[in-house]
Amino acid sequence: MTIQFIGRPGIVDLGWGHPDPESLPVTQWAAANASALGRYGWAALTYGAGPGPAPLVDWLCARMAETDGRRPDPAEVFVTGGASQGLELVTSVLTQPGDTVLVDTPTYHLALRVLADHRIHLVAAPVDDIGMLPAATEELIGRLGRVAFVYLVPTFSNPTGASLPADRRRALVGVGARTGVPVVEDDTYRELSYAGPAPDSLWSLDGDAVIRLGSFSKSVAPGLRLGWITAAAPFVRRLADRGFVDSGGGVNHAVALAMAEFGSSGAYARHVDAIRDRYRERRDALAGAVRRHVEAAEFTVPDGGWFLWARLPSTVDTEVLLDRAERAGVAYLPGARFYVDPPSTVDFLRLSFSMLGTAELIEGARRLGRALAERQPAG
Ligand SMILES: Cc1ncc(COP(=O)(O)O)c(C=O)c1O
């Protein structure tokens, strides 16, 4: 097996949160890689600096000054092998087996898998339709006693596509500061904004209370396995002090140097502009087709990210509907997968518009509408 995606003949699969293969910058990356090897020679191929190579760290700081509310200091950056590895690392540093971690609901389902490997208790933080409730979360932290951290995806969330409003961002960061419980902000989708700039990160509001996970998986390519963390300098030093970093050096040194070239040459900014246009168009195609073919679905068109989070009539269990949908030739991710403690019936589903072309997205929505109609015969 060469790649993670497994296609199923006859099925329009709206379940995968993977990039459009045609959007991946093969030629531009080859140029960046050649440029890094030309510029750094052997230094690109030996062990790298623990927190990541300075050319990438410096470029990242400059980029974040444009795309976020605060420019990090280089000492606040640690280059990772992607947001997943960032979460794995942060969890290793902050938790012992048996600890409690609070998570948003719904939230990125595979983050739940990363956390579960650490044998910690996952507890759903209090939420409403808009997102995490800061005051109730603070109260829950008080009741639980020790909480290792709080995890959420506040910007263009997976799975909802929604962003936490500014007042809740401020309040949540205040909870982190008052309680001393770190807020772990998964900021994977920041660059994929389709309606103006993304909201300022939680990290930009308080760099001591928040640990932010960044990623190049959505903005460039997941196969690079490259991302970063911004956090308070002492926490970055703790990460760099890990034994495996001491032993192996920077976690993805050669790719990080190629990324520095990709960034400083202007290729990154051009690429991000191009994929924003591409994904905006696909979002609109899927949203339009769902409106047309799945009339009972309720959803908000997301301002960024890769997902449309739709609610079907409350009598529909989307886990049960999936079987019928697959027989109709379409797949999606049922909403229950994004909950720590799913209720007995979840009427939400996640449709991804990142990987498939416009015609397939429209066909997928048509098939979903058919599967739903078969389930609920007219009259
Ligand atoms: C919210 C969120 N975090 C993390 C990841 C994984 O990021 P990475 O590829 O950088 O490990 C994803 C990918 O789907 C995601 O949606």
Side-chain angles (χ1 to χ4, degrees), residues 12-369:
V12 175
D13 202 333
L14 302 170
W16 292 85
H18 284 199
D20 172 2
E22 285 178 17
S23 76
L24 296 172
V26 176
T27 316
Q28 303 93 306
W29 187 261
N33 206 27
S35 174
L37 288 169
R39 188 185 305 276
Y40 301 107
W42 64 268
L45 295 181
T46 189
Y47 288 106
L56 180 63
V57 170
D58 291 345
W59 176 80
L60 262 171
C61 291
R63 178 75 190 175
M64 278 182 267
E66 291 169 18
T67 57
D68 197 1
R70 175 156 93 81
R71 181 190 185 108
D73 184 87
E76 295 175 309
V77 179
F78 182 88
V79 174
T80 67
S84 309
Q85 197 213 25
L87 181 59
E88 172 72 18
L89 251 175
V90 167
T91 312
S92 303
V93 170
L94 293 181
T95 70
Q96 301 288 334
D99 278 353
T100 297
V101 167
L102 297 188
V103 296
D104 201 3
T105 304
T107 200
Y108 175 45
H109 59 316
L110 299 179
L112 301 177
R113 289 264 297 100
V114 174
L115 296 168
D117 283 347
H118 292 262
R119 290 180 288 136
I120 51 191
H121 299 296
L122 299 183
V123 174
V127 297
D128 63 9
D129 287 350
I130 293 170
M132 211 178 266
L133 289 161
T137 299
E138 184 162 11
E139 198 187 303
L140 178 61
I141 290 171
R143 252 185 297 131
L144 289 171
R146 187 182 138 73
V147 170
F149 63 86
V150 177
Y151 169 84
L152 76 162
V153 189
T155 304
F156 312 138
S157 154
N158 181 0
T160 68
S163 296
L164 200 65
D167 55 337
R168 289 219 191 165
R169 285 175 184 257
R170 278 192 300 275
L172 195 59
V173 163
V175 171
R178 275 192 301 280
T179 60
V181 174
V183 177
V184 175
E185 172 182 32
D186 185 333
D187 202 21
T188 294
Y189 293 93
R190 161 160 308 276
E191 293 277 20
L192 297 187
S193 60
Y194 310 132
D200 289 348
S201 68
L202 304 183
W203 174 81
S204 75
L205 301 175
D206 187 336
D208 290 321
V210 181
I211 296 164
R212 179 253 300 274
L213 313 175
S215 175
F216 289 110
S217 288
K218 315 298 172 178
S219 56
V220 185
L224 304 180
R225 304 317 305 135
L226 192 67
W228 69 96
I229 287 172
T230 54
F235 187 77
V236 166
R237 283 198 296 277
R238 277 176 81 187
L239 297 176
D241 275 349
R242 300 292 287 177
F244 89 96
V245 178
D246 204 13
S247 169
V251 301
N252 199 354
H253 176 62
V255 170
L257 283 173
M259 183 63 223
E261 295 293 301
F262 192 74
S264 56
S265 69
Y268 177 86
R270 284 193 297 277
H271 179 70
V272 166
D273 283 349
I275 61 172
R276 275 195 197 122
D277 290 346
R278 177 183 288 248
Y279 290 130
R280 185 188 299 109
E281 193 183 313
R282 296 200 176 177
R283 172 200 66 177
D284 292 344
L286 181 65
V290 171
R291 258 190 229 110
R292 220 168 22 255
H293 298 296
V294 197
E295 276 176 31
E298 290 171 13
F299 59 92
T300 303
V301 177
D303 282 341
W306 277 355
F307 308 108
L308 201 142
W309 180 243
R311 177 173 226 158
L312 299 183
S314 62
T315 51
V316 179
D317 182 335
T318 54
E319 194 80 59
V320 174
L321 179 70
L322 183 58
D323 205 37
R324 184 179 292 280
E326 291 192 348
R327 276 186 269 122
V330 62
Y332 56 80
L333 284 192
R337 313 252 171 114
F338 301 90
Y339 289 68
V340 174
D341 299 309
S344 57
T345 300
V346 177
D347 47 11
F348 281 98
L349 47 77
R350 190 194 78 175
L351 303 173
S352 168
F353 52 83
S354 57
M355 192 178 68
L356 303 178
T358 303
E360 282 175 295
L361 294 173
I362 294 170
E363 178 57 20
R366 211 177 54 75
R367 292 180 186 184
L368 181 59

